[in-house]
Amino acid sequence: MDLGISGRTALVCGASKGLGFGCALALVEEGVNLVVVARSADPLADAASRLAAIGAEAAARRGAAAPFVKHVAADITTPEGRKAALALHADFDIVVTNAGGPPPGDFRDWDREAWIKAVDANMLTPIELIKATVDGMAARGFGRIVNITSSAVKAPIDILGLSNGARSGLTGFVAGLSRSALAGKGVTINNLLPGAFDTDRLKGTFAASAQKTGQPIDALVAKRRQAIPAQRFGTAEEFGATCAFLCSMHAAYINGQNVLIDGGAYPGTY
Ligand SMILES: NC(=O)c1ccc[n+]([C@@H]2O[C@H](COP(=O)([O-])OP(=O)(O)OC[C@H]3O[C@@H](n4cnc5c(N)ncnc54)[C@H](OP(=O)(O)O)[C@@H]3O)[C@@H](O)[C@H]2O)c1
């Protein structure tokens, strides 16, 4: 299926590995130009050159020009980081918001500073990126915002209280904004909710649980996998494919949704 977004330009945050990289990969394969962001310069430069090569190969197969891939090593949760990312391109058509999730732990140990950091990274940063880009998208008649949030928004995870809380704030904000006048101007805003995906973040969560419970990591991994009807963790590639579809012309009527990708793990009917 041609997603109809070749030649568009996307900002993809947290894109040197994991789910952000999966989204960047699926978009560049569709001919979308990229600006990719992460904090560590070397892994990001490596990811950007892999993305450029894959984009060029896919474009050659279609007989089209290769999409560009720019990268900037920046902390997207800071005003300076966002300024650096937004400076690399004037008119983004697609923005994928993403940053590392807050650390796991016990709410008794979190002070105001820990909460402000979580809210800054997982609520206010996406809102700032949306604020900087949606009016231009609306003026041009096309825009796609995809926020990578978490299945924890629908089914909270006990040790991820900072994530449960901060991301719910973003979800509430997006529910309202996505249904504003922007919707009539070709701009959609959706949240993509990962369940368990095989990335470094998931490995870190297991390590923290093992430390807290004293159980071996292998046992925790096996238990979690068995609790997922699909009997496996998701891959960054399949996550990216869903993101690219939400950014496509075919998804113009999907707006304000919380799209869960979790192998059937969420136990509710709705
Ligand atoms: N994997 C899962 O099972 C799962 C489940 C639910 C929710 N999530 C959420 O989905 C998001 C992505 O997770 P993931 O599994 O892809 O994590 P990951 O594999 O650890 O990758 C995170 C990516 O984001 C970048 N990053 C982190 N903080 C950043 C910042 N402040 N500014 C710019 N880039 C930043 C990282 O690079 P640098 O470190 O170099 O910056 C890396 O490229 C996280 O918010 C996570 O909590 C993941």
Side-chain angles (χ1 to χ4, degrees):
M1 187 194 294
D2 176 2
L3 297 187
I5 46 176
S6 176
R8 300 280 186 191
T9 301
L11 171 63
V12 186
C13 306
S16 64
K17 62 180 181 175
L19 305 180
F21 181 82
C23 295
L25 178 67
L27 289 169
V28 85
E29 281 179 330
E30 287 297 317
V32 174
N33 302 307
L34 295 178
V35 172
V36 289
V37 190
R39 291 165 304 179
S40 312
D42 289 348
L44 177 67
D46 178 54
S49 62
R50 279 185 287 139
L51 290 165
I54 291 164
E57 244 176 66
R61 281 197 299 275
R62 289 194 300 271
F68 68 70
V69 178
K70 297 180 183 176
H71 64 281
V72 56
D75 183 341
I76 202 69
T77 67
T78 65
E80 306 76 45
R82 288 189 290 276
K83 198 170 163 199
L86 292 166
L88 284 192
H89 187 76
D91 300 322
F92 284 107
D93 306 298
I94 296 167
V95 174
V96 180
T97 76
N98 178 35
D106 187 312
F107 84 96
R108 293 168 190 83
D109 301 326
W110 298 327
D111 55 14
R112 178 178 163 78
E113 204 184 317
W115 274 107
I116 297 291
K117 213 172 159 195
V119 168
D120 231 351
N122 298 106
M123 178 182 173
L124 300 181
T125 291
I127 292 173
E128 288 291 343
L129 291 169
I130 290 169
K131 188 167 95 180
T133 54
V134 283
D135 289 331
M137 291 175 179
R140 295 187 301 279
F142 177 92
R144 298 284 186 268
I145 305 279
V146 176
N147 302 300
I148 300 180
T149 66
S150 173
S151 61
V153 169
K154 281 179 80 95
I157 300 165
D158 61 350
I159 59 166
L160 292 177
L162 288 170
S163 171
N164 302 337
R167 294 189 203 274
S168 292
L170 174 66
T171 305
F173 170 76
V174 164
L177 185 71
S178 58
R179 291 164 175 89
S180 71
L182 294 167
K185 296 183 175 156
V187 179
T188 68
I189 312 178
N190 291 292
N191 303 317
L192 210 39
L193 282 55
F197 278 78
D198 192 7
T199 66
D200 288 352
R201 164 80 181 173
L202 187 65
K203 291 181 183 84
T205 309
F206 281 127
S209 289
Q211 205 175 15
K212 190 180 171 193
T213 62
Q215 292 181 55
I217 290 187
D218 286 354
L220 291 169
V221 169
K223 196 171 157 200
R224 180 85 186 268
R225 199 182 276 126
Q226 278 158 19
I228 301 168
Q231 298 289 296
R232 67 174 177 87
F233 300 132
T235 69
E237 289 74 16
E238 59 196 346
F239 188 86
T242 309
C243 175
F245 180 76
L246 284 178
C247 295
S248 76
M249 65 175 185
H250 308 296
Y253 211 49
I254 302 177
N255 187 29
Q257 299 305 302
N258 289 290
V259 179
L260 193 55
I261 316 183
D262 69 349
Y266 175 69
T269 306
Y270 301 107

